[in-house]
Amino acid sequence: MANTKPHAVCFPLPIQGHINGMLHFSKALHFMGFHITFVNSEFNHRRVLRNAGLASLAGLPDFRFATIPDGLSSPKDDTDKSQDLAALCVSTKRHCASPLRDLIKALNDPCSGGPPVSCVISDFFTSFTLAVTAELSIPSIFFCSASATGFLSAVYLEELKQRSIIPLKVGVSLWKEDSSCIEWLDEKDRGSVLYVNYGSIAVLTNDQFIEFAWGLANSGCEFLWVIRPDLVEGENALLPPEFATEIKPRSFITNWCTQKEVLSHPAIGGFLTHCGWNSTMESMCAGVPMICWPFFADQQTNCRFLCSEWGIGIEIGEDVKREKVERLIEELMGGQKGKEMKRKALEWKARAVKAASIGGVSWINLDRVIKEVIMK
């Protein structure tokens, strides 16, 4: 019966946040009976294999990974750095159409071992796939995470209550994940640790980096801080020696971690975040309130709703000063407002759990998407 399954080719914009969103949706379709071919760029495929090993992309007989080139020159070293977003978008648009067309043709070959392609689900930012699918007479569907809808319309509270929230455990990480931070969290009191992560693209100036560092140090709070190798613009992220001495007993600093596992850990009491949509939803699903420092794109919109509409976020502001960082951490982790934010965050978690349960609105909406959009 494997060759009678509907076959979806899923192709995200090849950056961490978009890969995660598309992968979660692909896993949900797989659960609902689809054969999946998930398309990574060759550059990202190599990164994942280097950091997580061959088994990480082994897939299943009916969930396979494929690769196409992104058109950019590969870096000379193996340092984990994000590709330039603007250059990647331009290159993807110019160079990925032909390889994607060839891949779909190969998948439709009877010798491929899988069912013919039923549809191509592409990222909102890879609209060139429309021409490819039109040429091959295959339906093309845009996948828009809620972050993308921030460009199109406001995301209202009532809409979010109905939005599909499907917390799946499988992910593709472009950075090598450090699981030892979980052992460190296991030794901490409930709700005592602030988690700090600016996502996979946001870049800080050295001054911003130092202000955040001293705000964390001066707050007296225990914290887990993810510092990517490319976090600081144009240079390595070097902490002052006196800072390291100050925070050593109460901090854990790493290059990358399993964020969902961290956010769901009982020791986590707050999240200092760039407000990317994946991070926003993962924090809400874990019942963790946020300190918001939006960087670009939809993140300002997400921040506004977190802080002004949903009551589970407080904003630092564009001009980062250590005194404000310190004050907001203290307010979130120990103040009265922080307690109220935690209460509201747990309400959102309960809604997410209910929505993701069998028969909940998440599964009802997914079934509607399959019947009314994908298989129409």
Side-chain angles (χ1 to χ4, degrees):
M1 293 179 61
N3 283 341
T4 66
K5 288 184 174 184
H7 183 175
V9 173
C10 301
F11 176 51
L13 184 69
I15 60 175
Q16 182 73 70
H18 288 244
I19 292 170
N20 281 350
M22 182 72 81
L23 186 61
H24 295 167
F25 187 62
S26 301
K27 284 292 181 181
L29 291 178
H30 179 256
F31 178 85
M32 301 295 278
F34 276 69
H35 182 106
I36 299 293
T37 297
F38 193 90
V39 184
N40 283 317
S41 69
E42 292 175 352
F43 173 80
N44 287 339
H45 191 82
R46 289 195 300 269
R47 278 185 69 178
V48 174
L49 292 180
R50 185 176 73 245
N51 288 328
L54 294 176
S56 61
L57 294 179
L60 300 167
D62 54 357
F63 195 114
R64 301 176 181 178
F65 289 92
T67 64
I68 60 175
D70 59 25
L72 292 177
S73 299
S74 298
K76 295 180 180 179
D77 55 40
D78 289 335
T79 303
D80 282 337
K81 293 183 179 180
S82 298
Q83 292 172 290
D84 180 83
L85 181 58
L88 181 62
C89 289
V90 171
S91 183
T92 301
K93 183 177 180 180
R94 289 179 179 175
H95 300 290
C96 286
S98 181
L100 182 63
R101 183 188 302 110
D102 293 342
L103 172 63
I104 295 171
K105 288 181 178 179
L107 293 172
N108 281 334
D109 189 310
C111 297
S112 69
V117 176
S118 306
C119 64
V120 174
I121 303 176
S122 60
D123 198 286
F124 179 76
F125 295 95
T126 56
S127 58
F128 65 86
T129 55
L130 284 174
V132 174
T133 53
E135 178 185 334
L136 299 175
S137 299
I138 296 173
S140 182
I141 300 158
F142 280 149
F143 174 86
C144 292
S145 66
S147 61
T149 65
F151 293 112
L152 307 177
S153 63
V155 184
Y156 294 105
L157 183 65
E158 196 60 34
E159 291 180 6
L160 186 63
K161 293 178 184 177
Q162 303 301 319
R163 199 171 295 282
S164 294
I165 305 171
I166 308 172
L168 301 173
K169 295 183 179 179
V170 178
V172 170
S173 177
L174 302 181
W175 281 266
K176 186 173 181 61
E177 296 175 333
D178 181 5
S179 60
S180 63
C181 63
I182 301 299
E183 299 174 8
W184 182 80
L185 288 172
D186 288 341
E187 300 174 354
K188 304 303 176 183
D189 295 336
R190 175 178 289 272
S192 65
V193 177
L194 177 72
Y195 172 54
V196 185
N197 190 340
Y198 308 98
S200 60
I201 294 178
V203 177
L204 281 63
T205 66
N206 188 64
D207 287 344
Q208 290 170 332
F209 180 67
I210 296 301
E211 291 300 307
F212 272 118
W214 281 114
L216 287 163
N218 296 338
S219 71
C221 177
E222 294 183 304
F223 60 90
L224 165 58
W225 192 2
V226 172
I227 302 178
R228 300 189 330 264
D230 59 347
L231 178 62
V232 178
E233 187 176 13
E235 53 191 295
N236 292 327
L238 298 177
L239 294 167
E242 61 272 23
F243 171 84
T245 302
E246 173 72 24
I247 56 90
K248 185 175 181 180
R250 52 186 173 85
S251 68
F252 191 104
I253 297 176
T254 184
N255 289 341
W256 201 250
C257 68
T258 52
Q259 179 162 287
K260 285 187 178 181
E261 189 175 1
V262 167
L263 284 171
S264 63
H265 196 285
I268 297 296
F271 182 15
L272 199 169
T273 173
H274 68 307
C275 298
W277 191 247
N278 285 330
S279 291
T280 297
M281 293 302 292
E282 288 166 5
S283 194
M284 293 176 73
C285 288
V288 176
M290 288 159 266
I291 298 175
C292 304
W293 187 68
F295 179 61
F296 79 137
D298 65 301
Q299 296 163 17
Q300 281 85 2
T301 302
N302 300 338
C303 173
R304 175 178 175 269
F305 279 90
L306 286 168
C307 300
S308 302
E309 300 292 332
W310 306 330
I312 56 176
I314 47 178
E315 185 177 3
I316 292 176
E318 186 176 345
D319 186 20
V320 179
K321 296 298 181 184
R322 65 188 69 185
E323 295 82 8
K324 187 169 186 180
V325 174
E326 176 187 355
R327 177 173 59 80
L328 293 184
I329 293 174
E330 292 173 346
E331 187 174 7
L332 177 68
M333 300 300 289
Q336 189 59 41
K337 184 174 182 178
K339 293 178 181 178
E340 178 62 15
M341 290 168 62
K342 179 66 175 179
R343 183 188 67 79
K344 291 182 178 179
L346 290 173
E347 289 180 356
W348 280 105
K349 177 182 179 180
R351 290 175 181 172
V353 171
K354 183 178 180 181
S357 300
I358 300 298
V361 294
S362 177
W363 292 106
I364 292 172
N365 287 343
L366 178 61
D367 187 59
R368 288 184 60 194
V369 167
I370 293 171
K371 292 177 179 177
E372 298 177 19
V373 180
I374 296 178
M375 300 303 295
K376 186 175 180 180

